[in-house]
Amino acid sequence: MARAVSETHGEILAAAARRFAVTGYRGTSLQDIAREVGCSKATVLYHFANKEALLAELMAPAIGVLRDLDDRLGGLTAAAAQEVAAQGFVDLAVRFRREIAVLRGEFPELLCQPAFAHIQEISDRLRDALAGHSDRPSARIAALVLLAGISEACAEFVDIPDDELRSALLTLVRRAVEPVAVPLPQPPTTEDKDS
């Protein structure tokens, strides 16, 4: 009996995720994925126009969460944006650590693909928020190192339970970021009192 179309679609996605994690995106062919599923390359192409479309569908849930985080950052004060960026990115990285592992080492090349072109802009805004919207090189460097390190840690430590990993990463982020100085309210001046 032939497999249901949706079942085959899901099997192709799962096989692609496994193959990408083992041999990388570049090192995996559609034929490799078809072989693992037990179908023809034509069947894979029936479900996905090409390898890029397959990767785009695999990454769509993570990208959706990243876009939501980006939307939440808009209009926040620097201190609030820094906290939302820290918690939001750690949560995203822990939740999608298997997907992050798929992209390990190939992220810059994948950003050149049309399906992922907007990710660099979102990443830049996320880095800026984590830096507390600071122009100080130390804050910007810390934010970039944290984003890369969080991703790498989530891909590497798949054996650590989610809650434990999330807690460790948030502790690290809070130690590493430069806190945003919140201006204290100024006492009224004599001129303010007279008005």
Side-chain angles (χ1 to χ4, degrees):
M1 182 180 205
R3 289 182 274 210
V5 171
S6 62
E7 183 181 331
T8 302
H9 190 88
E11 288 176 4
I12 292 168
L13 279 173
R18 286 190 300 273
R19 297 295 314 165
F20 292 162
V22 172
T23 58
Y25 175 76
R26 271 181 289 149
T28 301
S29 70
L30 291 177
Q31 186 59 51
D32 295 333
I33 295 165
R35 192 176 306 112
E36 185 161 326
V37 173
C39 67
S40 67
K41 182 178 172 182
T43 299
V44 173
L45 289 169
Y46 171 80
H47 289 273
F48 300 95
N50 51 38
K51 191 166 72 166
E52 293 80 15
L54 209 165
L55 181 64
E57 187 168 329
L58 264 176
M59 303 310 291
I63 291 170
V65 171
L66 183 62
R67 282 184 174 150
D68 290 345
L69 174 58
D70 187 43
D71 290 344
R72 289 193 340 246
L73 293 172
L76 295 176
T77 65
Q82 189 176 54
E83 183 60 25
V84 169
Q87 285 190 19
F89 188 71
V90 166
D91 287 345
L92 180 148
V94 170
R95 178 177 170 192
F96 295 104
R97 60 172 129 172
R98 285 173 190 81
E99 289 82 354
I100 290 171
V102 166
L103 298 178
R104 220 171 176 184
E106 298 185 77
F107 195 65
E109 182 182 319
L110 294 174
L111 288 176
C112 296
Q113 294 184 13
F116 301 102
H118 62 288
I119 300 299
Q120 185 62 54
E121 293 171 9
I122 294 173
S123 296
D124 291 345
R125 287 191 295 272
L126 184 59
R127 184 192 64 226
D128 184 52
L130 195 55
H133 300 302
S134 174
D135 289 333
R136 291 185 318 275
S138 59
R140 295 172 50 226
I141 291 167
L144 179 63
V145 168
L146 284 168
L147 291 174
I150 289 166
S151 297
E152 188 65 21
C154 286
E156 179 69 25
F157 298 113
V158 293
D159 59 324
I160 298 175
D162 288 358
D163 290 341
E164 191 176 337
L165 182 60
R166 183 178 290 107
S167 176
L169 289 171
L170 283 172
T171 298
L172 174 71
V173 170
R174 290 188 177 112
R175 287 181 186 162
V177 297
E178 295 181 20
V180 175
V182 179
L184 298 173
Q186 297 296 317
T189 63
T190 309
E191 291 174 8
D192 292 338
K193 291 179 184 176
D194 293 339
S195 322

Short mmCIF file of all heavy atoms in Angstrom, two decimals, residues 113-172:
data_model
loop_
_atom_site.label_atom_id
_atom_site.label_comp_id
_atom_site.label_asym_id
_atom_site.label_seq_id
_atom_site.Cartn_x
_atom_site.Cartn_y
_atom_site.Cartn_z
N GLN A 113 20.72 32.81 0.49
CA GLN A 113 19.55 32.27 -0.20
C GLN A 113 18.35 33.18 0.04
O GLN A 113 18.16 33.71 1.14
CB GLN A 113 19.24 30.87 0.31
CG GLN A 113 20.30 29.86 -0.04
CD GLN A 113 19.90 28.47 0.39
OE1 GLN A 113 18.76 28.21 0.72
NE2 GLN A 113 20.86 27.57 0.36
N PRO A 114 17.51 33.37 -0.98
CA PRO A 114 16.37 34.28 -0.85
C PRO A 114 15.46 33.98 0.35
O PRO A 114 14.98 34.91 0.99
CB PRO A 114 15.61 34.08 -2.17
CG PRO A 114 16.65 33.60 -3.13
CD PRO A 114 17.63 32.80 -2.32
N ALA A 115 15.25 32.72 0.67
CA ALA A 115 14.34 32.38 1.78
C ALA A 115 14.87 32.85 3.13
O ALA A 115 14.11 32.97 4.08
CB ALA A 115 14.11 30.87 1.81
N PHE A 116 16.16 33.14 3.21
CA PHE A 116 16.77 33.51 4.48
C PHE A 116 17.39 34.90 4.47
O PHE A 116 18.02 35.31 5.44
CB PHE A 116 17.85 32.48 4.86
CG PHE A 116 17.32 31.09 4.98
CD1 PHE A 116 17.52 30.17 3.96
CD2 PHE A 116 16.59 30.70 6.08
CE1 PHE A 116 17.01 28.88 4.06
CE2 PHE A 116 16.08 29.43 6.19
CZ PHE A 116 16.28 28.51 5.18
N ALA A 117 17.22 35.66 3.40
CA ALA A 117 17.87 36.96 3.25
C ALA A 117 17.52 37.92 4.38
O ALA A 117 18.36 38.69 4.83
CB ALA A 117 17.52 37.56 1.90
N HIS A 118 16.30 37.91 4.86
CA HIS A 118 15.85 38.84 5.90
C HIS A 118 16.40 38.50 7.29
O HIS A 118 16.36 39.32 8.19
CB HIS A 118 14.33 38.85 5.95
CG HIS A 118 13.75 37.52 6.30
ND1 HIS A 118 13.78 36.45 5.43
CD2 HIS A 118 13.19 37.07 7.44
CE1 HIS A 118 13.24 35.39 6.02
NE2 HIS A 118 12.88 35.75 7.23
N ILE A 119 16.94 37.30 7.46
CA ILE A 119 17.42 36.87 8.76
C ILE A 119 18.59 37.73 9.24
O ILE A 119 18.70 38.03 10.43
CB ILE A 119 17.84 35.38 8.73
CG1 ILE A 119 16.66 34.50 8.34
CG2 ILE A 119 18.44 34.94 10.05
CD1 ILE A 119 15.49 34.57 9.29
N GLN A 120 19.46 38.16 8.34
CA GLN A 120 20.60 39.00 8.74
C GLN A 120 20.12 40.31 9.35
O GLN A 120 20.64 40.76 10.37
CB GLN A 120 21.53 39.27 7.56
CG GLN A 120 22.79 40.02 7.97
CD GLN A 120 23.63 39.24 8.96
OE1 GLN A 120 23.99 38.11 8.71
NE2 GLN A 120 23.95 39.85 10.09
N GLU A 121 19.09 40.93 8.76
CA GLU A 121 18.57 42.19 9.29
C GLU A 121 17.97 41.98 10.68
O GLU A 121 18.18 42.79 11.58
CB GLU A 121 17.51 42.76 8.35
CG GLU A 121 18.05 43.22 7.02
CD GLU A 121 16.95 43.56 6.04
OE1 GLU A 121 15.77 43.62 6.43
OE2 GLU A 121 17.28 43.78 4.86
N ILE A 122 17.22 40.90 10.85
CA ILE A 122 16.65 40.59 12.16
C ILE A 122 17.76 40.33 13.17
O ILE A 122 17.70 40.81 14.30
CB ILE A 122 15.68 39.40 12.07
CG1 ILE A 122 14.46 39.76 11.21
CG2 ILE A 122 15.24 38.95 13.46
CD1 ILE A 122 13.53 38.60 10.92
N SER A 123 18.78 39.59 12.77
CA SER A 123 19.91 39.30 13.65
C SER A 123 20.62 40.59 14.08
O SER A 123 21.02 40.72 15.23
CB SER A 123 20.91 38.37 12.97
OG SER A 123 20.32 37.13 12.71
N ASP A 124 20.76 41.52 13.16
CA ASP A 124 21.39 42.80 13.49
C ASP A 124 20.56 43.57 14.52
O ASP A 124 21.12 44.14 15.47
CB ASP A 124 21.58 43.65 12.23
CG ASP A 124 22.62 43.09 11.28
OD1 ASP A 124 23.41 42.20 11.68
OD2 ASP A 124 22.62 43.54 10.10
N ARG A 125 19.24 43.57 14.36
CA ARG A 125 18.38 44.27 15.33
C ARG A 125 18.41 43.57 16.68
O ARG A 125 18.40 44.22 17.73
CB ARG A 125 16.95 44.37 14.80
CG ARG A 125 16.81 45.38 13.67
CD ARG A 125 15.36 45.66 13.33
NE ARG A 125 14.65 44.52 12.78
CZ ARG A 125 14.60 44.20 11.49
NH1 ARG A 125 15.23 44.94 10.61
NH2 ARG A 125 13.91 43.15 11.08
N LEU A 126 18.47 42.25 16.66
CA LEU A 126 18.54 41.48 17.91
C LEU A 126 19.86 41.78 18.63
O LEU A 126 19.88 41.98 19.84
CB LEU A 126 18.41 39.99 17.58
CG LEU A 126 18.38 39.03 18.75
CD1 LEU A 126 17.22 39.33 19.69
CD2 LEU A 126 18.27 37.60 18.23
N ARG A 127 20.95 41.80 17.88
CA ARG A 127 22.26 42.13 18.47
C ARG A 127 22.23 43.53 19.06
O ARG A 127 22.71 43.77 20.17
CB ARG A 127 23.35 42.02 17.41
CG ARG A 127 24.76 42.24 18.00
CD ARG A 127 25.80 42.43 16.93
NE ARG A 127 25.52 43.64 16.19
CZ ARG A 127 25.55 43.74 14.87
NH1 ARG A 127 25.85 42.71 14.12
NH2 ARG A 127 25.27 44.88 14.28
N ASP A 128 21.62 44.47 18.35
CA ASP A 128 21.53 45.85 18.84
C ASP A 128 20.71 45.92 20.14
O ASP A 128 21.09 46.61 21.08
CB ASP A 128 20.91 46.74 17.75
CG ASP A 128 20.88 48.19 18.16
OD1 ASP A 128 21.92 48.73 18.54
OD2 ASP A 128 19.79 48.79 18.09
N ALA A 129 19.63 45.18 20.19
CA ALA A 129 18.80 45.17 21.40
C ALA A 129 19.56 44.55 22.57
O ALA A 129 19.53 45.06 23.69
CB ALA A 129 17.50 44.41 21.15
N LEU A 130 20.25 43.45 22.31
CA LEU A 130 21.02 42.79 23.37
C LEU A 130 22.14 43.70 23.88
O LEU A 130 22.51 43.66 25.04
CB LEU A 130 21.58 41.47 22.86
CG LEU A 130 22.08 40.49 23.90
CD1 LEU A 130 21.02 40.17 24.95
CD2 LEU A 130 22.54 39.21 23.23
N ALA A 131 22.67 44.54 23.01
CA ALA A 131 23.70 45.51 23.40
C ALA A 131 23.10 46.72 24.09
O ALA A 131 23.83 47.65 24.46
CB ALA A 131 24.50 45.94 22.18
N GLY A 132 21.79 46.74 24.27
CA GLY A 132 21.14 47.88 24.91
C GLY A 132 21.13 49.11 24.04
O GLY A 132 21.15 50.23 24.54
N HIS A 133 21.13 48.91 22.72
CA HIS A 133 21.15 50.00 21.73
C HIS A 133 22.36 50.91 21.94
O HIS A 133 22.29 52.11 21.67
CB HIS A 133 19.85 50.82 21.75
CG HIS A 133 18.63 50.00 21.45
ND1 HIS A 133 18.48 49.28 20.28
CD2 HIS A 133 17.51 49.76 22.19
CE1 HIS A 133 17.32 48.65 20.31
NE2 HIS A 133 16.72 48.91 21.45
N SER A 134 23.44 50.32 22.41
CA SER A 134 24.66 51.08 22.67
C SER A 134 25.57 51.07 21.44
O SER A 134 25.63 50.09 20.71
CB SER A 134 25.40 50.44 23.85
OG SER A 134 26.65 51.06 24.03
N ASP A 135 26.30 52.16 21.28
CA ASP A 135 27.31 52.24 20.22
C ASP A 135 28.68 51.82 20.74
O ASP A 135 29.64 51.77 19.98
CB ASP A 135 27.40 53.67 19.67
CG ASP A 135 26.18 54.04 18.84
OD1 ASP A 135 25.56 53.13 18.27
OD2 ASP A 135 25.86 55.25 18.76
N ARG A 136 28.79 51.56 22.05
CA ARG A 136 30.08 51.17 22.62
C ARG A 136 30.53 49.84 22.02
O ARG A 136 29.77 48.87 22.02
CB ARG A 136 29.99 51.03 24.14
CG ARG A 136 29.80 52.36 24.86
CD ARG A 136 29.83 52.21 26.38
NE ARG A 136 29.11 51.06 26.89
CZ ARG A 136 27.79 51.03 27.14
NH1 ARG A 136 27.06 52.09 26.90
NH2 ARG A 136 27.22 49.95 27.63
N PRO A 137 31.75 49.79 21.50
CA PRO A 137 32.24 48.53 20.93
C PRO A 137 32.14 47.35 21.89
O PRO A 137 31.78 46.25 21.48
CB PRO A 137 33.70 48.85 20.58
CG PRO A 137 33.71 50.33 20.35
CD PRO A 137 32.71 50.88 21.34
N SER A 138 32.44 47.56 23.16
CA SER A 138 32.39 46.45 24.12
C SER A 138 30.98 45.86 24.23
O SER A 138 30.82 44.65 24.31
CB SER A 138 32.89 46.89 25.50
OG SER A 138 32.10 47.97 25.99
N ALA A 139 29.97 46.69 24.20
CA ALA A 139 28.58 46.21 24.28
C ALA A 139 28.19 45.47 23.00
O ALA A 139 27.55 44.41 23.06
CB ALA A 139 27.63 47.37 24.53
N ARG A 140 28.59 46.01 21.86
CA ARG A 140 28.25 45.38 20.57
C ARG A 140 28.97 44.05 20.40
O ARG A 140 28.40 43.08 19.92
CB ARG A 140 28.57 46.35 19.43
CG ARG A 140 27.67 47.59 19.47
CD ARG A 140 28.05 48.69 18.49
NE ARG A 140 28.22 48.17 17.15
CZ ARG A 140 29.26 48.49 16.37
NH1 ARG A 140 30.20 49.30 16.80
NH2 ARG A 140 29.34 48.00 15.15
N ILE A 141 30.24 44.00 20.80
CA ILE A 141 31.01 42.76 20.70
C ILE A 141 30.42 41.70 21.63
O ILE A 141 30.24 40.54 21.23
CB ILE A 141 32.50 43.02 21.01
CG1 ILE A 141 33.12 43.86 19.89
CG2 ILE A 141 33.26 41.71 21.21
CD1 ILE A 141 34.49 44.45 20.24
N ALA A 142 30.12 42.10 22.87
CA ALA A 142 29.53 41.14 23.83
C ALA A 142 28.24 40.56 23.28
O ALA A 142 27.99 39.36 23.38
CB ALA A 142 29.31 41.82 25.18
N ALA A 143 27.40 41.41 22.70
CA ALA A 143 26.12 40.94 22.16
C ALA A 143 26.33 39.94 21.03
O ALA A 143 25.66 38.89 20.98
CB ALA A 143 25.28 42.13 21.69
N LEU A 144 27.25 40.22 20.13
CA LEU A 144 27.52 39.31 19.02
C LEU A 144 28.08 37.97 19.52
O LEU A 144 27.64 36.91 19.08
CB LEU A 144 28.50 39.95 18.03
CG LEU A 144 28.88 39.09 16.83
CD1 LEU A 144 27.66 38.78 15.98
CD2 LEU A 144 29.95 39.77 16.01
N VAL A 145 29.03 38.03 20.45
CA VAL A 145 29.60 36.81 21.00
C VAL A 145 28.54 35.99 21.71
O VAL A 145 28.48 34.76 21.59
CB VAL A 145 30.79 37.14 21.94
CG1 VAL A 145 31.23 35.92 22.74
CG2 VAL A 145 31.96 37.70 21.13
N LEU A 146 27.65 36.65 22.43
CA LEU A 146 26.58 35.93 23.13
C LEU A 146 25.64 35.25 22.15
O LEU A 146 25.28 34.08 22.34
CB LEU A 146 25.80 36.89 24.04
CG LEU A 146 26.51 37.25 25.33
CD1 LEU A 146 25.81 38.41 26.01
CD2 LEU A 146 26.59 36.05 26.26
N LEU A 147 25.22 35.95 21.11
CA LEU A 147 24.30 35.34 20.14
C LEU A 147 24.93 34.12 19.49
O LEU A 147 24.31 33.06 19.38
CB LEU A 147 23.87 36.36 19.08
CG LEU A 147 22.96 37.48 19.57
CD1 LEU A 147 22.72 38.50 18.46
CD2 LEU A 147 21.64 36.93 20.09
N ALA A 148 26.18 34.24 19.07
CA ALA A 148 26.86 33.11 18.44
C ALA A 148 27.09 31.99 19.46
O ALA A 148 26.88 30.81 19.15
CB ALA A 148 28.20 33.57 17.85
N GLY A 149 27.48 32.36 20.66
CA GLY A 149 27.75 31.36 21.69
C GLY A 149 26.51 30.62 22.15
O GLY A 149 26.54 29.41 22.40
N ILE A 150 25.40 31.32 22.25
CA ILE A 150 24.14 30.68 22.64
C ILE A 150 23.76 29.65 21.58
O ILE A 150 23.39 28.52 21.91
CB ILE A 150 23.02 31.74 22.82
CG1 ILE A 150 23.27 32.55 24.09
CG2 ILE A 150 21.64 31.08 22.86
CD1 ILE A 150 22.43 33.82 24.18
N SER A 151 23.85 30.04 20.33
CA SER A 151 23.51 29.11 19.25
C SER A 151 24.42 27.89 19.29
O SER A 151 23.96 26.75 19.17
CB SER A 151 23.64 29.81 17.89
OG SER A 151 22.73 30.87 17.80
N GLU A 152 25.70 28.12 19.44
CA GLU A 152 26.66 27.02 19.46
C GLU A 152 26.42 26.10 20.66
O GLU A 152 26.47 24.87 20.52
CB GLU A 152 28.09 27.58 19.48
CG GLU A 152 29.16 26.55 19.30
CD GLU A 152 29.15 25.87 17.93
OE1 GLU A 152 28.60 26.41 16.96
OE2 GLU A 152 29.70 24.75 17.84
N ALA A 153 26.18 26.68 21.82
CA ALA A 153 25.94 25.87 23.02
C ALA A 153 24.68 25.02 22.86
O ALA A 153 24.67 23.85 23.25
CB ALA A 153 25.82 26.77 24.25
N CYS A 154 23.64 25.59 22.28
CA CYS A 154 22.40 24.83 22.10
C CYS A 154 22.58 23.68 21.12
O CYS A 154 22.02 22.61 21.30
CB CYS A 154 21.27 25.75 21.64
SG CYS A 154 20.66 26.79 22.98
N ALA A 155 23.38 23.90 20.09
CA ALA A 155 23.65 22.83 19.12
C ALA A 155 24.56 21.77 19.71
O ALA A 155 24.42 20.58 19.39
CB ALA A 155 24.27 23.42 17.85
N GLU A 156 25.47 22.16 20.57
CA GLU A 156 26.46 21.23 21.13
C GLU A 156 25.91 20.38 22.28
O GLU A 156 26.15 19.19 22.35
CB GLU A 156 27.68 22.03 21.62
CG GLU A 156 28.76 21.19 22.25
CD GLU A 156 29.48 20.29 21.26
OE1 GLU A 156 29.51 20.61 20.06
OE2 GLU A 156 30.02 19.26 21.71
N PHE A 157 25.19 21.01 23.20
CA PHE A 157 24.79 20.34 24.42
C PHE A 157 23.36 19.80 24.34
O PHE A 157 22.50 20.13 25.15
CB PHE A 157 24.96 21.27 25.62
CG PHE A 157 26.37 21.68 25.84
CD1 PHE A 157 26.76 23.00 25.66
CD2 PHE A 157 27.34 20.76 26.21
CE1 PHE A 157 28.08 23.39 25.85
CE2 PHE A 157 28.65 21.13 26.40
CZ PHE A 157 29.03 22.44 26.22
N VAL A 158 23.12 18.93 23.38
CA VAL A 158 21.78 18.37 23.19
C VAL A 158 21.40 17.42 24.34
O VAL A 158 20.22 17.11 24.50
CB VAL A 158 21.65 17.63 21.84
CG1 VAL A 158 21.76 18.62 20.69
CG2 VAL A 158 22.69 16.54 21.70
N ASP A 159 22.36 17.00 25.14
CA ASP A 159 22.09 16.09 26.25
C ASP A 159 21.62 16.81 27.51
O ASP A 159 21.13 16.18 28.44
CB ASP A 159 23.34 15.26 26.57
CG ASP A 159 24.53 16.13 26.94
OD1 ASP A 159 24.69 17.22 26.36
OD2 ASP A 159 25.32 15.71 27.82
N ILE A 160 21.75 18.13 27.57
CA ILE A 160 21.34 18.89 28.75
C ILE A 160 19.85 19.21 28.63
O ILE A 160 19.41 19.71 27.59
CB ILE A 160 22.16 20.19 28.88
CG1 ILE A 160 23.65 19.85 29.07
CG2 ILE A 160 21.65 21.04 30.05
CD1 ILE A 160 24.55 21.05 29.10
N PRO A 161 19.07 18.94 29.67
CA PRO A 161 17.62 19.23 29.62
C PRO A 161 17.36 20.71 29.34
O PRO A 161 18.12 21.60 29.75
CB PRO A 161 17.12 18.84 31.02
CG PRO A 161 18.15 17.88 31.55
CD PRO A 161 19.46 18.31 30.94
N ASP A 162 16.26 20.99 28.63
CA ASP A 162 15.92 22.34 28.21
C ASP A 162 15.94 23.35 29.35
O ASP A 162 16.53 24.42 29.23
CB ASP A 162 14.53 22.37 27.55
CG ASP A 162 14.52 21.73 26.18
OD1 ASP A 162 15.59 21.29 25.70
OD2 ASP A 162 13.42 21.66 25.58
N ASP A 163 15.27 23.04 30.47
CA ASP A 163 15.19 24.00 31.58
C ASP A 163 16.56 24.32 32.15
O ASP A 163 16.86 25.47 32.48
CB ASP A 163 14.27 23.48 32.69
CG ASP A 163 12.81 23.47 32.26
OD1 ASP A 163 12.46 24.17 31.29
OD2 ASP A 163 12.01 22.76 32.91
N GLU A 164 17.40 23.31 32.27
CA GLU A 164 18.75 23.51 32.80
C GLU A 164 19.60 24.35 31.84
O GLU A 164 20.32 25.26 32.26
CB GLU A 164 19.41 22.14 33.05
CG GLU A 164 20.68 22.20 33.83
CD GLU A 164 21.22 20.81 34.13
OE1 GLU A 164 20.45 19.82 34.12
OE2 GLU A 164 22.44 20.71 34.37
N LEU A 165 19.50 24.05 30.57
CA LEU A 165 20.25 24.81 29.56
C LEU A 165 19.77 26.25 29.52
O LEU A 165 20.57 27.19 29.49
CB LEU A 165 20.10 24.15 28.20
CG LEU A 165 20.87 24.79 27.04
CD1 LEU A 165 22.37 24.80 27.31
CD2 LEU A 165 20.56 24.06 25.74
N ARG A 166 18.47 26.45 29.53
CA ARG A 166 17.88 27.80 29.49
C ARG A 166 18.38 28.62 30.69
O ARG A 166 18.82 29.77 30.55
CB ARG A 166 16.36 27.72 29.50
CG ARG A 166 15.66 29.06 29.38
CD ARG A 166 14.15 28.91 29.35
NE ARG A 166 13.71 28.30 28.09
CZ ARG A 166 13.26 27.04 27.97
NH1 ARG A 166 13.16 26.26 29.03
NH2 ARG A 166 12.89 26.57 26.81
N SER A 167 18.33 28.04 31.87
CA SER A 167 18.77 28.73 33.08
C SER A 167 20.25 29.10 33.01
O SER A 167 20.64 30.23 33.33
CB SER A 167 18.50 27.84 34.30
OG SER A 167 18.99 28.46 35.46
N ALA A 168 21.08 28.17 32.58
CA ALA A 168 22.52 28.43 32.48
C ALA A 168 22.80 29.54 31.47
O ALA A 168 23.64 30.43 31.72
CB ALA A 168 23.26 27.16 32.09
N LEU A 169 22.11 29.52 30.34
CA LEU A 169 22.35 30.53 29.31
C LEU A 169 21.88 31.92 29.76
O LEU A 169 22.58 32.91 29.53
CB LEU A 169 21.65 30.14 28.01
CG LEU A 169 22.28 28.95 27.27
CD1 LEU A 169 21.39 28.52 26.11
CD2 LEU A 169 23.68 29.29 26.78
N LEU A 170 20.73 31.99 30.42
CA LEU A 170 20.26 33.30 30.89
C LEU A 170 21.18 33.86 31.96
O LEU A 170 21.44 35.07 31.99
CB LEU A 170 18.82 33.19 31.41
CG LEU A 170 17.76 33.12 30.32
CD1 LEU A 170 16.39 32.83 30.91
CD2 LEU A 170 17.72 34.42 29.51
N THR A 171 21.70 33.00 32.82
CA THR A 171 22.67 33.46 33.83
C THR A 171 23.90 34.03 33.15
O THR A 171 24.40 35.10 33.51
CB THR A 171 23.05 32.29 34.77
OG1 THR A 171 21.87 31.85 35.45
CG2 THR A 171 24.10 32.71 35.78
N LEU A 172 24.39 33.33 32.15
CA LEU A 172 25.56 33.78 31.40
C LEU A 172 25.29 35.12 30.72
O LEU A 172 26.12 36.04 30.79
CB LEU A 172 25.95 32.73 30.37
CG LEU A 172 27.07 33.12 29.42
CD1 LEU A 172 28.39 33.16 30.16
CD2 LEU A 172 27.12 32.18 28.25
#
